[in-house]
Amino acid sequence: IITNTNSTIATTILENNSMQSIVRGRLGLGLMMELIPQDTDIEIGNTVVSSILEENTPQGLIIGTVANIQYEEAALFKTAQIEPAISIGNISNVGIVIQK
């Protein structure tokens, strides 16, 4: 997800799991949380986790933390820059678990 702008995942905030949004990769530049309703309470430092709405992904996987929040008065949604929980440069082995 970090390196592909076409890759998205349904997410929520651990501290406010009633809010659902989408996190999209930014070509290795981090992650962007999109479609956050304007009236949602979200703060820098909140933990972003995978949502129950994400098919084939367990709920509650840590994606990262909110690093910055952007919003405009007239907009319906706000966005947030997410600091990934891991550094892609530190990954040396990747495993895939397939359910039978």
Side-chain angles (χ1 to χ4, degrees), residues 1-2 28-31 62-65 67 81-88:
I1 191 170
I2 293 174
L29 301 174
L31 304 170
I62 296 176
I63 307 298
T65 56
Q81 184 177 355
I82 306 303
E83 180 70 31
I86 60 164
S87 169
I88 195 152

Side-chain angles (χ1 to χ4, degrees), residues 11-81:
T11 59
T12 188
I13 298 294
L14 187 62
E15 295 83 0
N16 178 11
N17 62 9
S18 64
M19 187 276 298
Q20 305 295 319
S21 65
I22 299 293
V23 169
R24 180 182 309 276
R26 294 182 55 215
L27 296 175
L29 301 174
L31 304 170
M32 185 62 72
M33 180 181 268
E34 303 172 345
L35 302 175
I36 305 167
Q38 269 301 15
D39 61 349
T40 299
D41 290 329
I42 182 173
E43 298 178 4
I44 292 174
N46 283 160
T47 304
V48 180
V49 296
S50 58
S51 167
I52 193 168
L53 300 177
E54 184 62 35
E55 191 174 323
N56 299 321
T57 302
Q59 178 185 4
L61 294 178
I62 296 176
I63 307 298
T65 56
V66 176
N68 189 9
I69 303 165
Q70 299 93 33
Y71 64 93
E72 296 177 24
E73 291 289 327
L76 293 175
F77 300 101
K78 50 188 166 184
T79 60
Q81 184 177 355

